[in-house]
Amino acid sequence: MSHIDQDIWGLPDPVSQAGFYDSVPTKRLLAFVVDLIIIVVLSALVVPLTAFAGIFFFPFIVAVVSFAYRVVTIANGSATLGMRLMGIEFRTSKGERFDLGYALLHTLMFTAWGLMFIIQVASVILMLTTARKQGLTDLILGTAAINRPSRF
């Protein structure tokens, strides 16, 4: 990648600064599993508040908790708790951490793609093949998940 590419993107160059992208797809998968466990536990804690009627619409509770969890954690640290545990975070095309707007938009697109299996598969393929290890949402928004600079 050229110097111009770095200036346009504001993200670390995948050739000269490859450490920012090392193992990011694997870390994203592990972070997803950690986040899923947290979301299911939080959702289970909500069920008693519904006088246990929430058992009948538990998938809906999980979806709502997941959306809220992702928006709040990403807006407040540019990463979910699972991502923080794995040492990765999201950055905008300018290299900045996510704010509420980016967190909301990224989560909305992540949720939409999650409902369409083929798009989710395409996103994973993109993470495994693009220079910046970007999924479909990242490519559309011009964002990327990177290793936190303090991690290497």
Side-chain angles (χ1 to χ4, degrees):
M1 296 278 130
S2 69
H3 177 68
I4 293 171
D5 183 55
Q6 170 107 11
D7 291 341
I8 292 171
W9 277 84
L11 291 168
D13 181 70
V15 174
S16 65
Q17 297 172 306
F20 281 103
Y21 305 101
D22 286 344
S23 303
V24 167
T26 302
K27 291 177 179 182
R28 285 181 84 164
L29 174 63
L30 295 171
F32 177 81
V33 171
V34 169
D35 291 330
L36 185 60
I37 292 167
I38 292 169
I39 290 163
V40 169
V41 168
L42 290 173
S43 299
L45 294 173
V46 170
V47 171
L49 301 175
T50 66
F52 295 96
I55 292 171
F56 299 108
F57 52 95
F58 192 69
F60 177 75
I61 291 174
V62 170
V64 170
V65 169
S66 175
F67 191 87
Y69 165 84
R70 291 179 190 287
V71 170
V72 169
T73 57
I74 293 172
N76 287 308
S78 207
T80 63
L81 297 178
M83 291 174 70
R84 291 176 202 173
L85 183 66
M86 296 300 133
I88 57 176
E89 64 187 15
F90 285 121
R91 293 295 176 106
T92 69
S93 60
K94 295 178 182 176
E96 299 168 341
R97 300 176 98 200
F98 277 23
D99 59 12
L100 178 59
Y102 268 100
L104 185 61
L105 191 55
H106 197 279
T107 302
L108 190 62
M109 293 176 78
F110 170 83
T111 303
W113 301 157
L115 297 173
M116 296 175 261
F117 180 75
I118 193 71
I119 293 178
Q120 195 66 301
V121 170
S123 190
V124 170
I125 290 169
L126 289 168
M127 282 183 221
L128 296 172
T129 59
T130 58
R132 288 188 170 89
K133 312 298 182 202
Q134 297 165 292
L136 186 59
T137 299
D138 297 317
L139 284 172
I140 291 170
L141 295 178
T143 61
I146 63 169
N147 287 308
R148 288 195 312 251
S150 62
R151 299 297 271 193
F152 57 92

